[in-house]
Amino acid sequence: MTTDTPFRILAVCTGNVCRSPMVERLLQGALASIAPGEFVISSAGTGALVDRPMDAQVAGLVRQFDGDPEGFHARQLEEHVIRDNDLVLALTREHRSRVIEMAPSLLRKTFTLREFARLIAPLDGDSSLDGPLRWRTILPKVARARSAHPSDPSQDDVIDPYRRPNEVYQQMVGELVPAVKSLIDWEHNYR
């Protein structure tokens, strides 16, 4: 994607200690290895446990999927945090709504993670997306696809595992990791 400005992706959940940090660290690690310097991935929470490290169980899962949980500190979702992002990936429809309330201009750049993963899948191999600006070019296409093909809302959210049994963490992995992997694969397919 070589451009002077990296493509900025913000992941948003509630406490910013489980789901959004996992998305941040898995995407950043994988995309940096595919396209060094071309992506900046960050995260924030709508009710962040500010300055707390990543949940210990999630940190273990991040390591399991070759990510690096070290040095993470939760931060609150605020207007200045949202402002300069090219894409916002919310972990639930409620988080997506909160982002759009705070920054209505990001409507066409804000999706749930699972929704975005589903909507880019049919665009894989689209030759009009070749070139350095493909991630910026895809956003209007994905926004149009969302309008034309509304999804089942139950397929959009990633469950919050915080302080819940191990089974819920595993459910989160089953919902989150395939979506993250599809974004990584999508970028990899254009290399």
Side-chain angles (χ1 to χ4, degrees):
M1 182 173 72
T2 311
T3 64
D4 292 339
T5 306
F7 190 80
R8 297 184 179 282
I9 300 174
L10 176 68
V12 177
C13 71
T14 304
N16 192 219
V17 293
C18 292
R19 295 168 290 176
S20 58
M22 187 166 186
V23 171
E24 172 189 329
R25 295 303 173 96
L26 295 183
L27 272 181
Q28 186 66 61
L31 293 175
S33 70
I34 297 169
E38 295 185 19
F39 293 90
V40 173
I41 318 298
S42 61
S43 64
T46 59
L49 301 173
V50 176
D51 290 329
R52 292 236 184 115
M54 193 179 301
D55 174 84
Q57 193 162 350
V58 171
L61 292 166
V62 167
R63 284 186 195 94
Q64 180 182 329
F65 290 100
D66 299 322
D68 181 6
E70 298 306 317
F72 179 83
H73 297 284
R75 68 179 177 157
Q76 181 64 34
L77 182 69
E78 297 174 344
E79 285 186 45
H80 75 275
V81 171
I82 300 172
R83 191 175 320 132
D84 296 326
N85 289 284
D86 298 297
L87 173 62
V88 179
L89 297 173
L91 276 296
T92 68
R93 290 166 287 135
E94 182 181 324
H95 299 131
R96 182 182 64 201
S97 294
R98 181 70 185 120
V99 168
I100 294 166
E101 285 172 18
M102 291 177 76
S105 64
L106 290 178
L107 174 65
R108 296 178 60 80
K109 295 180 178 184
T110 304
F111 303 85
T112 70
L113 170 68
R114 294 176 75 197
E115 171 190 37
F116 191 77
R118 267 195 319 278
L119 293 171
I120 66 167
L123 300 173
D124 198 13
D126 182 336
S127 61
S128 71
L129 298 174
D130 287 343
L133 300 176
R134 84 179 133 275
W135 281 84
R136 287 178 175 87
T137 304
I138 194 176
L139 290 175
K141 291 180 180 222
V142 176
R144 280 192 302 275
R146 173 173 51 194
S147 298
H149 307 289
S151 64
D152 175 356
S154 69
Q155 299 300 307
D156 288 343
D157 293 352
V158 173
I159 194 165
D160 185 357
Y162 188 62
R163 294 187 171 173
R164 295 177 73 187
N166 186 54
E167 296 78 33
V168 181
Y169 281 84
Q170 293 309 311
Q171 181 180 348
M172 176 204 64
V173 167
E175 294 169 351
L176 185 151
V177 171
V180 168
K181 185 178 179 330
S182 69
L183 273 64
I184 294 164
D185 290 347
W186 192 81
E187 175 60 19
H188 193 266
N189 289 341
Y190 282 93
R191 293 286 160 172

